[in-house]
Amino acid sequence: MMRRTLRSALFFFVAISVLLTSQYSNAYPLSTQNRWIMDDSTGERAKLVCGNWAGHLQPMLPEGLDKRPLKELVAEIVKHKFNCVRLTYAIYMWTRYRDRNVGETLEELDIPEAVEGIRKNNPWALKKTHVEAFEEVVRELGNQKVKVLLDNHVSEPNWCCHDDDENGFFNDRHFDPNEWVKGLTLAAQRFSGNSAVVAMSLRNELHGPRQYVAGWYTYMSQGAKAIHKANPNVVVVVSGLNYDTELQFLKKKPLNLDLGKKLVFETHLYSWSGIGTLKLKDIWTKQPLNRICARTIRGIDYRAGFLTLGNNSFPLIFTEFGFDQQGSTEADNKFLTCLQTYLVGRDMDWGLWALQGGYYLREDQVQLEETFGVMDASWQNLRFPNFTQMFQLLQRKNQDPTSKLPVANILYYPLSGQCVRVNKKSELEVGSCENKIDKWVLEDGSQILLSGTNKCLTVSGEGLPVVVSDDNKCQSSSWKSVSLSKLHWSTMDQHGKQLCLHKDSNSSRIMTKRCICIQDDSTCLDDPRSQWFQFVPTNL
């Protein structure tokens, strides 16, 4: 009887262990396979869809704890389909303030509004040390199955970044390499064995006048080895120079580190970041959009995207990009539409700046709103009402190296973030990218076939709907990519007039109209995004 009871208890214990393991199997640990990040527990690709959550400023506390209970904040992240958080921290939190009480720091900073809000919504935080409070946030993210990428954003707790902030490159006043390695090590050790923490970055946006490539190799190698030694389970994320926009020096000299399939790179880009020496301020509104988008994508590939190509490829996470989610900044809106085509086309892992709708204290301003925030200042609502629609295909995994299915294409409309589908009238329209999506095959570079059928796209005339037709009309149907952006798809009507796919401004229908700015004409500054369509490869 005793043996039977013990066997039953053992079986119950094993069953519970298996159940718990399966619940968290999609989170930990991760490894790399060429350009992909893989989930070791399933053998499938794990696409990281991250939101940045700032915790590196002077309060040394993840933002928003004054607005809603922690559990509700994380629930909002999950609700909006992020499976990952890039959680930022300052090195000094680990090396100088790790045992300091959060409440004491906030009192010294004289931000009573934040203190009162935290006391109401998360009173536990005021009684904990900074490290303990940070750990509590990580714990809740793990409880709700959100992966965590710990990001060393700065050394001195402060807003990042300015070229003269003395916090930008190794041996700056606030960037002692030894203290930096110590802080990375302490963080790695603290979260060793914590299944929520799947990755750790070395440093956000190296910058300033003291940058040099040889120093990058020396110190980044030291930091990567320190993290891997302290916590060999996490993926190590390596950033580049010039605000994490440049890694092209790796073409001549790879970063030879033996981290056991744990090495990943990251890059950033905003509308103002610039490509090489070309600063993009206002250029998104002052140059033909097809030209500047094409130049931007070439620049991304030259500086960082090349890492994802070829036989010796690595994963590259676009850990920071963002846009003014109030929707009023024309340059940001155009930049975002262009960048989406790159992220979707490569099916990149990414991290949007930012989740938080505001800050306890930023650059001496109390309760400052974050207009780039997914959430509004109250953490109750989306700041950009169309966020879910705009990001639906970016958040979806479209490629997996383990898939046995053939590659087909999703026809993507980046201006709205929607996908093209065939309605009951056999006409094309844009709609949701979720659930069942129509797929397409480019036949001999000319016909566009509806996958699994003999039907193809045909045109009736300018201003008329595009439809899928049978074999008889397919013989005369021919399409090609035109314009520098390669996002216009044109055909000829029966009169020999060139027409492009075009989304009707008053409905979800797709028609053909005169092509907008497809020639590289400097005087053509019309917005062509209503005619941008992209074939996105998928094997899922």
Side-chain angles (χ1 to χ4, degrees):
M1 182 68 177
M2 180 65 72
R3 288 181 179 178
R4 184 178 300 172
T5 302
L6 287 173
R7 284 198 301 270
S8 299
L10 180 61
F11 175 80
F12 177 78
F13 174 78
V14 170
I16 291 296
S17 298
V18 169
L19 177 61
L20 291 174
T21 300
S22 66
Q23 287 178 332
Y24 292 93
S25 64
N26 65 339
Y28 183 84
L30 305 180
S31 62
T32 66
Q33 178 180 316
N34 299 318
R35 63 152 293 195
W36 307 108
I37 297 174
M38 307 297 292
D39 182 338
D40 289 350
S41 65
T42 64
E44 298 177 350
R45 181 190 170 202
K47 180 175 179 177
L48 299 183
V49 176
C50 308
N52 282 268
W53 192 353
H56 64 275
L57 281 77
Q58 288 169 286
M60 292 177 285
L61 186 69
E63 305 290 343
L65 296 180
D66 57 335
K67 303 302 181 184
R68 296 178 69 180
L70 174 59
K71 189 172 184 178
E72 294 181 11
L73 298 181
V74 176
E76 286 290 342
I77 296 170
V78 174
K79 175 183 176 181
H80 299 300
K81 299 185 178 179
F82 291 93
N83 65 14
C84 163
V85 161
R86 182 176 181 246
L87 190 62
T88 72
Y89 68 88
I91 286 292
Y92 288 0
M93 184 183 79
W94 293 94
T95 60
R96 303 187 185 189
Y97 305 116
R98 62 179 304 178
D99 297 321
R100 187 165 189 178
N101 180 271
V102 170
E104 292 176 2
T105 297
L106 299 183
E107 290 291 346
E108 283 191 11
L109 292 172
D110 191 23
I111 45 177
E113 299 93 337
V115 172
E116 184 58 33
I118 294 171
R119 184 176 290 118
K120 174 184 177 182
N121 292 292
N122 295 285
W124 54 266
L126 298 173
K127 304 172 185 178
K128 292 184 178 291
T129 67
H130 289 283
V131 169
E132 288 171 343
F134 193 83
E135 191 173 36
E136 190 66 28
V137 172
V138 171
R139 182 179 295 111
E140 185 55 40
L141 287 165
N143 288 343
Q144 298 193 40
K145 300 183 182 179
V146 178
K147 305 174 182 68
V148 179
L149 190 171
L150 294 182
D151 171 65
N152 168 220
H153 218 68
V154 289
S155 289
E156 179 191 35
N158 225 322
W159 178 249
C160 177
C161 306
H162 305 287
D163 273 348
D164 59 355
D165 60 16
E166 299 183 288
N167 208 353
F169 199 71
F170 305 101
N171 291 306
D172 279 357
R173 179 184 175 191
H174 294 295
F175 199 164
D176 175 78
N178 293 325
E179 186 172 8
W180 171 70
V181 169
K182 180 182 179 182
L184 293 178
T185 301
L186 289 170
Q189 290 173 339
R190 183 81 174 210
F191 292 103
S192 180
N194 186 317
S195 62
V197 178
V198 298
M200 287 186 64
S201 75
L202 295 180
R203 185 68 166 204
N204 173 73
E205 296 194 355
L206 294 167
H207 60 277
R210 302 184 69 258
Q211 299 176 87
Y212 65 108
V213 172
W216 183 91
Y217 281 99
T218 297
Y219 295 116
M220 296 301 261
S221 295
Q222 289 180 11
K225 291 175 182 177
I227 288 176
H228 188 65
K229 181 179 179 180
N231 187 349
N233 283 316
V234 296
V235 165
V236 179
V237 184
V238 179
S239 61
L241 297 174
N242 291 327
Y243 295 91
D244 201 6
T245 61
E246 298 189 1
L247 285 160
Q248 64 266 31
F249 44 84
L250 290 169
K251 296 176 183 178
K252 294 183 178 180
K253 182 183 177 182
L255 183 62
N256 292 318
L257 288 175
D258 183 11
L259 302 184
K261 295 187 177 182
K262 296 289 186 178
L263 178 60
V264 172
F265 293 91
E266 64 177 319
T267 192
H268 295 175
L269 195 70
Y270 292 91
S271 63
W272 60 83
S273 297
I275 297 175
T277 59
L278 173 65
K279 292 298 180 183
L280 293 181
K281 182 176 175 59
D282 298 328
I283 208 167
W284 286 95
T285 58
K286 293 182 178 179
Q287 280 199 14
L289 189 55
N290 284 313
R291 176 195 297 173
I292 195 60
C293 182
R295 185 180 295 172
T296 296
I297 288 174
R298 286 198 305 270
I300 294 170
D301 270 341
Y302 172 75
R303 294 174 302 161
F306 68 91
L307 287 164
T308 67
L309 305 174
N311 295 326
N312 190 30
S313 59
F314 289 90
L316 176 70
I317 309 177
F318 232 101
T319 49
E320 269 193 45
F321 70 97
F323 66 107
D324 185 343
Q325 299 210 23
Q326 297 176 118
S328 58
T329 306
E330 182 183 359
D332 274 356
N333 294 340
K334 290 180 175 179
F335 162 78
L336 176 67
T337 312
C338 175
L339 183 62
Q340 282 176 242
T341 67
Y342 184 85
L343 298 176
V344 167
R346 295 287 179 86
D347 203 15
M348 301 283 286
D349 302 82
W350 52 266
L352 182 70
W353 188 273
L355 292 169
Q356 69 272 358
Y359 301 91
Y360 309 121
L361 177 68
R362 172 181 153 183
E363 297 176 298
D364 297 326
Q365 296 188 64
V366 177
Q367 300 289 301
L368 180 69
E369 284 203 37
E370 173 56 271
T371 61
F372 278 46
V374 172
M375 305 303 300
D376 65 9
S378 69
W379 273 79
Q380 295 283 350
N381 307 295
L382 289 170
R383 187 178 295 275
F384 178 48
N386 291 334
F387 177 86
T388 301
Q389 175 179 292
M390 182 68 73
F391 278 77
Q392 57 186 320
L393 194 59
L394 274 78
Q395 292 179 315
R396 183 180 185 269
K397 181 172 71 172
N398 294 314
Q399 297 183 51
D400 191 318
T402 66
S403 173
K404 304 300 182 183
L405 297 177
V407 175
N409 295 279
I410 298 166
L411 187 49
Y412 174 56
Y413 186 63
L415 182 58
S416 67
Q418 294 172 294
C419 293
V420 174
R421 61 190 183 189
V422 182
N423 65 22
K424 294 180 179 179
K425 297 180 180 180
S426 295
E427 298 174 346
L428 293 196
E429 63 181 17
V430 295
S432 173
C433 295
E434 297 180 345
N435 302 320
K436 187 179 182 299
I437 306 175
D438 286 327
K439 297 176 184 177
W440 307 87
V441 177
L442 303 181
E443 184 73 15
D444 298 326
S446 59
Q447 292 183 348
I448 299 176
L449 302 178
L450 181 61
S451 182
T453 74
N454 292 320
K455 296 183 177 182
C456 69
L457 293 194
T458 59
V459 57
S460 300
E462 184 172 6
L464 298 176
V466 178
V467 299
V468 290
S469 301
D470 57 22
D471 291 349
N472 296 329
K473 291 186 178 180
C474 284
Q475 298 303 318
S476 59
S477 175
S478 178
W479 298 83
K480 64 179 180 179
S481 172
V482 293
S483 81
L484 289 176
S485 69
K486 300 180 180 179
L487 296 170
H488 293 260
W489 288 87
S490 76
T491 189
M492 296 291 182
D493 67 9
Q494 62 269 35
H495 305 295
K497 185 176 183 180
Q498 186 178 33
L499 301 173
C500 283
L501 290 179
H502 183 101
K503 159 71 171 56
D504 181 16
S505 60
N506 297 315
S507 71
S508 61
R509 292 192 314 166
I510 296 171
M511 58 183 64
T512 49
K513 294 193 70 173
R514 176 186 61 84
C515 301
I516 301 173
C517 294
I518 60 171
Q519 305 299 325
D520 188 22
D521 179 359
S522 296
T523 65
C524 190
L525 299 180
D526 294 336
D527 189 345
R529 290 179 296 161
S530 61
Q531 296 185 344
W532 279 6
F533 292 85
Q534 180 184 18
F535 285 94
V536 176
T538 179
N539 62 356
L540 296 175

